[in-house]
Amino acid sequence: MTSLTKTFTKAFEKDESHVHIEIKAKPYSNPYLVGIGLGLVLLAAFVIMGRGLGASGAVSTAVAVTVNTIAPSHASGNQFYTEYLGDGKTSPFKDWLVFEVLGVIAGGFLSGSLAHRVKKGVDKGPRVSNRTRLIYAFVGGGLMGFGAKLARGCTSGQALSGGAILNLGSWAFMMMVFAGGYAAAYFLRRQWL
Amino acid sequence: MNAPFYKFNLFGFDVSLIIAFAIGIGFGFMLERGGFGSARILAAQFYLGNMRVLKVMFTAIVTAMLGIFYLSVIGYLDLSLIYVSNTYILPQVLGGLILGVGFVIGGYCPGTSMVAFSTGKIDGLVYVLGVAFGIFVFGEMFPMLEGFFNSTDLGKQTLPSFLGLSYGLVVFLVVVMAIGAFIAAEWSEKKFADRNPEKSI
């Protein structure tokens, strides 16, 4: 009986050692080819819909709906929220950008799965703790959300989509994103390098 | 003229949502392929060690720009039906600066944080929550910011109309500029190869 248990345990241990062998993540694709692919997706959006891509607008809808659920009178008195809430007849989530962003999440997961890159964890520089990284992620996201609303769009809606149709405001915006990024980079080098 | 299809009523609103989802899948797929689901790769752009952001973005802009230009030249795409948002120069310049700083601090932008989150990155999820919080703060401050938000309205402005150059010439100049940027990017990646996190990921 004991030998049987031993054999069984041994077999199990062996099995476990196999579990630890991870399938190596595939390297990322050639950036120029990805750029052409992304450009064709963007072109398809323009040709089919007459509009470009976006990301921050969907989060705005979610924020406006949340505020409206908690404090309806407060939301209805604020033009910023009412614009995302619509006429009240159809659900605000029945929106082009909301469906597009759900697609982005699905597409990212699909690509990551195929290349064995889906892995739970925190992506950070070698010199910072997870906690610091998450605080920075929240603060950076907050600035990004605020800035995107002030600029009427983010990297997808303004820089990429507006850039392709040569929108003046989009190009000014894009140059400032790079300027802001490079100007602040030195002070944040500890987080990334 | 056949395109944009939606503006010519080739399909209705409900179908447009399905198309939105499909286009989103393509968008998310490409972002992940390009390495944009990783904050370290995105941030390395600002330390010159990995220039994927610049390469992918400018290639995408050039590809879509050339497609739109030639489709309109052959008369397939009606440019006047493509949505061009107004330029509000000061809010957009300031918004861009804030966004750039947020990019280096948080490591993502709204779209790429969705991809990071969908591939299991907890910092991506926290970032999305941060974006929502930032939008909430903007919403709460909106009555105060409204004046500035609607200031310096230049109307529908494109680079050709603003510079007084022909559409085709600006398209050509953007292509030349992009090629210059690609050459600079390749050079900087070689010079700052020790700052490229891609090799260790």
Side-chain angles (χ1 to χ4, degrees), chain B residues 66-192:
Chain B
L66 288 174
I68 291 164
F69 176 66
Y70 285 112
L71 287 178
S72 73
V73 166
I74 62 167
Y76 187 74
L77 179 68
D78 188 350
L79 269 185
S80 67
L81 294 176
I82 287 200
Y83 176 71
V84 179
S85 57
N86 279 18
T87 291
Y88 295 83
I89 197 74
L90 280 182
Q92 290 193 296
V93 162
L94 184 66
L97 265 179
I98 295 173
L99 211 131
V101 174
F103 206 154
V104 189
I105 295 176
Y108 297 111
C109 61
T112 53
S113 65
M114 304 281 181
V115 172
F117 155 60
S118 79
T119 51
K121 306 231 169 48
I122 297 158
D123 48 318
L125 175 64
V126 171
Y127 189 94
V128 176
L129 297 174
V131 172
F133 181 73
I135 292 173
F136 171 70
V137 170
F138 184 87
E140 290 304 305
M141 286 173 72
F142 187 71
M144 223 165 75
L145 294 167
E146 205 176 347
F148 179 65
F149 182 70
N150 290 318
S151 69
T152 56
D153 182 0
L154 305 182
K156 284 192 201 319
Q157 279 284 359
T158 60
L159 290 182
S161 72
F162 180 71
L163 299 170
L165 301 171
S166 77
Y167 187 23
L169 180 59
V170 175
V171 165
F172 174 74
L173 291 175
V174 169
V175 172
V176 172
M177 193 188 86
I179 292 171
F182 296 150
I183 294 169
E186 295 298 338
W187 173 83
S188 115
E189 274 185 354
K190 272 196 196 90
K191 187 162 163 55
F192 299 100

Side-chain angles (χ1 to χ4, degrees), chain A residues 80-134:
Chain A
F80 176 76
Y81 296 131
T82 53
E83 219 148 278
Y84 289 100
L85 292 170
D87 55 6
K89 284 177 205 133
T90 46
S91 164
F93 288 123
K94 242 187 129 182
D95 173 73
W96 204 83
L97 276 180
V98 171
F99 276 71
E100 186 234 69
V101 162
L102 291 175
V104 168
I105 293 170
F109 180 74
L110 181 69
S111 167
S113 303
L114 291 174
H116 310 292
R117 286 193 286 257
V118 178
K119 200 178 156 197
K120 195 180 163 194
V122 176
D123 200 29
K124 61 182 182 68
R127 294 202 285 173
V128 285
S129 65
N130 280 359
R131 189 167 167 269
T132 310
R133 167 69 188 118
L134 293 181

Side-chain angles (χ1 to χ4, degrees), chain A:
Chain A
M1 193 66 194
T2 32
S3 68
L4 190 69
T5 323
K6 252 184 197 164
T7 328
F8 193 77
T9 325
K10 230 181 183 175
F12 185 74
E13 271 170 1
K14 237 185 200 167
D15 240 24
E16 203 172 41
S17 73
H18 278 292
V19 173
H20 282 286
I21 297 168
E22 237 175 70
I23 304 165
K24 234 178 130 43
K26 285 185 190 153
Y28 291 112
S29 308
N30 178 301
Y32 298 112
L33 293 180
V34 173
I36 291 171
L38 183 56
L40 292 176
V41 172
L42 180 57
L43 181 61
F46 278 119
V47 169
I48 299 171
M49 293 298 301
R51 58 179 296 174
L53 305 167
S56 56
V59 187
S60 308
T61 304
V63 170
V65 169
T66 308
V67 172
N68 190 47
T69 310
I70 296 167
S73 60
H74 177 68
S76 62
N78 184 323
Q79 205 202 323
F80 176 76
Y81 296 131
T82 53
E83 219 148 278
Y84 289 100
L85 292 170
D87 55 6
K89 284 177 205 133
T90 46
S91 164
F93 288 123
K94 242 187 129 182
D95 173 73
W96 204 83
L97 276 180
V98 171
F99 276 71
E100 186 234 69
V101 162
L102 291 175
V104 168
I105 293 170
F109 180 74
L110 181 69
S111 167
S113 303
L114 291 174
H116 310 292
R117 286 193 286 257
V118 178
K119 200 178 156 197
K120 195 180 163 194
V122 176
D123 200 29
K124 61 182 182 68
R127 294 202 285 173
V128 285
S129 65
N130 280 359
R131 189 167 167 269
T132 310
R133 167 69 188 118
L134 293 181
I135 292 169
Y136 275 75
F138 189 83
V139 172
L143 283 173
M144 183 71 82
F146 190 92
K149 287 302 106 185
L150 199 57
R152 295 171 163 80
C154 63
T155 344
S156 327
Q158 284 294 355
L160 204 58
S161 307
I165 50 172
L166 304 174
N167 184 329
L168 173 70
S170 303
W171 275 84
F173 166 84
M174 194 186 342
M175 294 303 154
M176 295 316 281
V177 172
F178 280 103
Y182 282 104
Y186 176 79
F187 304 100
L188 290 147
R189 62 194 186 284
R190 244 197 78 85
Q191 202 205 165
W192 300 113
L193 294 179

